[in-house]
Amino acid sequence: MDYLASMYIDNELALSEKIQFVDRIQSDPHFYRNTRDLLLQEELLRVPPDTSRLPLRPPGLRAARSWFTRMPKPILYAATGFAAAGLLWLSLPANPAPVCCMNRFVIYAPSAHRVDLAGSFTGWMPTPMSSVGNSSYWETNLQVPSGEHRFSYILDGARHVAAPTLAGARKR
Amino acid sequence: MDGYDPDTHAGSAYNPEQYTIEGEAFDRLLKAISHLSVEDRELIALVAAVNMTYREIGRILNTSEAAIKVRGHRARTRLRKIMASRGE
């Protein structure tokens, strides 16, 4: 039942499970410490550095965000989820990062017929992404110089999808 | 920091020291995440970064809500052990 800690973090506990959880917190110091450590880790995961304080906002991003918040929830969740997964993929370098390297961008967009990637490293020019078979995933590999970048996915030539966690991503 | 002009932003709320500290902590986290399996990274991204429900994640990954519950917790625990082993 150790996963009660994660269920607590994710707000997935039913009432009866909440009772189990508080009982366990009170009776099991090891479970308490584990839960607290996971909460601290989660705080770091969910609150990336607020890079919005930097003057790096590309033109049109505010409009894209406005549209982004109006997306239907299932699509929003799916798109941002897999965009976030794509972001985490970018944190993969097993060796020291070279000055410039290929980076894989991945997004799950089942409703899209075409997906482009546009960012500071493309001069905000849309770059077509390739569909991965019939999986509804779209991908592209681009050389991205070291530094901080902004980008968004463009679905069907018009719908901008900015992954919220990308504001905290930093590449060196 | 492309395009950043300190003179333009003197006196603003931007604090370079705090920004650097937060950035380094986030970098350490990303490095630890890079040691997870692809499946664990995906789950961490979905439950933490995007805050989806177990049911929604299960639907997307074509697996049960119960499986997401257990796998998500294991991914978190593995990440914590990696962070601990690296002194973070």
Side-chain angles (χ1 to χ4, degrees), chain B residues 26-65:
Chain B
F26 193 67
D27 283 349
R28 287 196 298 274
L29 179 68
L30 284 182
K31 281 178 187 166
I33 287 173
S34 73
H35 288 79
L36 292 172
S37 68
V38 172
E39 291 78 13
D40 281 353
R41 282 200 302 274
E42 188 172 54
L43 273 171
I44 292 283
L46 293 174
V47 298
V50 187
N51 201 18
M52 297 175 77
T53 66
Y54 292 166
R55 177 171 297 187
E56 289 165 335
I57 296 170
R59 199 164 54 226
I60 288 173
L61 299 183
N62 197 27
T63 188
S64 70
E65 196 175 334

Side-chain angles (χ1 to χ4, degrees), chain A residues 90-132:
Chain A
L90 297 178
S91 67
L92 263 176
N95 302 314
V99 172
C100 184
C101 56
M102 296 301 288
N103 289 270
R104 183 175 185 230
F105 296 83
V106 183
I107 185 171
Y108 181 76
S111 64
H113 300 289
R114 174 188 153 194
V115 179
D116 295 292
L117 175 69
S120 52
F121 43 87
T122 69
W124 293 101
M125 293 296 292
T127 303
M129 299 181 72
S130 305
S131 61
V132 183

